[in-house]
Amino acid sequence: MESNLTQVGIIGAGELGRALGNALTRAQLQVLYYDRAANRSTTGSIEDLVSACEVLLICVSSWEVEGVLKQIKKAAHPSVKRVVITCSKGVERSFITMDKLLRERLPNNYDIGVLYGPMIANEIERERPAYGVLALSNPSWFMNLRAHFAQAHIHVELTNDMHGVAIAASLKNIYAIGFGMLDGLHLGLNSKGKMAVMVLAEMKRILSDMHADVRTAEGLAGLGDILSTGFGDESFNYRIGKSLADRIADEHIRSEGLVALSELEHHVQLKHYPVAGTIDKIVFHYADPRTLTVLLST
């Protein structure tokens, strides 16, 4: 797709949205923001953002995405092309992934995409390289987007497994909770290495059962993001897991990993997926976090 892309709209100016925006600004793009907090916004509404920008990045929590899409749809014009890309790694009710939500909620003339992978906001802000996998309903956007992201030190690959990438990104948040628990229990890197092997195998089984490409688990949205969030403390879901092991968790806290885990429980039989099932028992059924040590020994 030929495009003289000069500006990008970002919905959600939190840590990731602002980090991506600053990186793209350094890459000579004009970035416009809309956020519920007026002091973070440069436009008055999502409708204004849609009118001004042909590329829209959604960087809000997954439970906010549906409301954002309703506002985008209100501003949609049948003769105007847009691509709406979400970076939200989560699910809606009944484990509806973000790719399905975008397809269901946006008009047909809008292209959609998901962008996931090892893209930790603090590292992007420090101008360290980031890596993502981009799935697009219309791949002709890719070359232009890749060039601009590369100038921002964000290196993206193209995939045609949009649904698998969205599933893997959601599962990664669940497993990040488990890695945080291991560190809260002071079990060390050997235990994390064992769990990484188990998680990868389990993610492949889930992808297969959900009719996605199992190879996606080995890519940036799967293994790549698991390692970047499971072996450091930058991930919010990791920190939740660590606080659970430390017995200082806030029972009212909400995260994309916790939401995905609660929805996964109603969508599949967790007994078939022992890592996710054990995390579920600890999070929602008051099992001792040390149950993970038993799992790792099997």
Side-chain angles (χ1 to χ4, degrees):
M1 174 176 290
E2 293 297 327
S3 172
N4 296 316
L5 182 62
T6 58
Q7 59 187 27
V8 171
I10 293 181
I11 301 170
E15 286 187 9
L16 180 59
R18 185 61 66 174
L20 289 174
N22 288 342
L24 292 171
T25 298
R26 292 192 295 270
Q28 308 305 311
L29 284 175
Q30 181 182 13
V31 178
L32 303 180
Y33 297 93
Y34 176 78
D35 192 275
R36 288 185 302 173
N39 63 333
R40 294 179 175 180
S41 298
T42 58
T43 55
S45 67
I46 290 176
E47 289 85 347
D48 291 342
L49 208 63
V50 173
S51 298
C53 303
E54 62 179 334
V55 175
L56 301 169
L57 300 179
I58 298 178
C59 300
V60 301
S61 299
S62 58
W63 52 86
E64 298 179 82
V65 170
E66 185 164 13
V68 166
L69 296 179
K70 288 179 180 177
Q71 295 301 311
I72 293 175
K73 186 175 181 179
K74 283 182 181 179
H77 191 282
S79 65
V80 175
K81 290 295 291 183
R82 294 285 184 268
V83 59
V84 180
I85 300 169
T86 183
C87 300
S88 304
K89 300 175 181 177
V91 297
E92 263 288 350
R93 296 170 297 279
S94 301
F95 209 80
I96 296 174
T97 50
M98 292 293 104
D99 61 308
K100 288 189 173 182
L101 195 64
L102 266 62
R103 289 187 192 279
E104 292 173 0
R105 298 293 185 266
L106 291 177
N108 292 334
N109 63 305
Y110 274 33
D111 297 322
I112 64 169
V114 297
L115 175 60
Y116 300 133
M119 298 187 298
I120 295 171
N122 286 342
E123 296 203 351
I124 295 173
E125 282 283 27
R126 289 151 69 183
E127 299 187 42
R128 290 179 172 176
Y131 305 89
V133 57
L134 179 59
L136 295 161
S137 61
N138 180 357
S140 62
W141 290 95
F142 177 70
M143 296 301 290
N144 198 5
L145 290 171
R146 182 179 69 171
H148 286 290
F149 276 112
Q151 291 181 54
H153 305 298
I154 301 167
H155 307 282
V156 296
E157 303 172 358
L158 181 66
T159 179
N160 60 4
D161 185 24
M162 187 182 297
H163 188 48
V165 166
I167 294 170
S170 300
L171 294 175
K172 182 277 305 181
N173 283 330
I174 294 173
Y175 295 127
I177 295 172
F179 282 105
M181 289 179 186
L182 292 184
D183 276 350
L185 294 168
H186 307 290
L187 292 178
L189 292 173
N190 294 334
S191 293
K192 293 175 83 172
K194 172 65 182 295
M195 194 162 88
V197 172
M198 296 176 71
V199 162
L200 180 60
E202 184 168 294
M203 183 180 283
K204 286 182 174 181
R205 291 201 305 275
I206 295 175
L207 286 169
S208 176
D209 291 344
M210 293 187 175
H211 310 292
D213 189 340
V214 297
R215 294 171 297 182
T216 296
E218 300 171 352
L220 291 172
L223 181 61
D225 211 0
I226 287 168
L227 294 177
S228 67
T229 56
F231 283 73
D233 61 359
E234 296 286 353
S235 163
F236 183 49
N237 290 292
Y238 166 94
R239 295 196 298 272
I240 287 175
K242 191 171 185 298
S243 70
L244 284 164
D246 291 337
R247 305 300 178 100
I248 56 172
D250 181 350
E251 64 181 21
H252 301 296
I253 206 157
R254 194 179 193 187
S255 79
E256 290 179 329
L258 292 173
V259 172
L261 182 58
S262 67
E263 294 302 326
L264 184 64
E265 180 183 23
H266 302 298
H267 190 66
V268 301
Q269 294 187 22
L270 286 175
K271 65 182 181 181
H272 298 310
Y273 312 110
V275 182
T278 300
I279 296 170
D280 177 77
K281 288 176 183 176
I282 296 168
V283 171
F284 295 123
H285 304 284
Y286 305 105
D288 191 316
R290 288 173 292 184
T291 308
L292 272 178
T293 64
V294 177
L295 175 66
L296 295 178
S297 300
T298 57

